[in-house]
Amino acid sequence: MKATRVLARAGVIVASLLTIPTAEAQQPAGITRTDLQRHDLSAPGREAVQVRVDIAPGKAFGRHSHPGEEIIYVLAGTFEYDIEGRPPATLKAGDVLFIPAGTIHAAKNVGDVTASELATYIVEKGTPLLTLAK
């Protein structure tokens, strides 16, 4: 019985260590995405997802799109948003931005402190939240 517990604990520790590099590989260096909440909406098949995104100075999140609308509120720092079909926009803490569904865009921290945004997505339930552009 004791040997079984020891083996089980060892297995959990090894599994935990193996998943750490995988989780880190999914996030670009200098960028942290923190899922805050996800809720079904009254519109059938739609959900709202809120995420906090923190980007280190000089770092960028490359070109990508979302399957629904993205509503951004800049919490701190200075971002430059490159939205397909529009001139680049520089936003600072307190500024807001709306990105239509499927629009390819990128964000870069152009300041000298960590920039943070609150991103709210209105998307079809069950679809990937983000698709990298080619």
Side-chain angles (χ1 to χ4, degrees), residues 27-102:
Q27 294 272 36
I31 299 175
T32 303
R33 292 178 58 90
T34 305
D35 291 342
L36 300 173
Q37 61 179 331
R38 179 182 296 257
H39 295 283
D40 291 345
L41 297 176
S42 59
R46 306 291 281 179
E47 67 179 344
V49 180
Q50 273 194 326
V51 176
R52 179 185 173 121
V53 181
D54 299 294
I55 301 181
K59 298 293 182 175
F61 196 95
R63 294 169 34 89
H64 63 283
S65 64
H66 306 283
E69 293 77 13
E70 180 179 12
I71 303 158
I72 296 169
Y73 176 75
V74 178
L75 299 168
T78 306
F79 283 102
E80 181 177 273
Y81 294 92
D82 183 12
I83 303 168
E84 194 168 77
R86 298 188 206 169
T90 301
L91 278 70
K92 296 181 181 190
D95 291 337
V96 296
L97 181 65
F98 177 83
I99 301 174

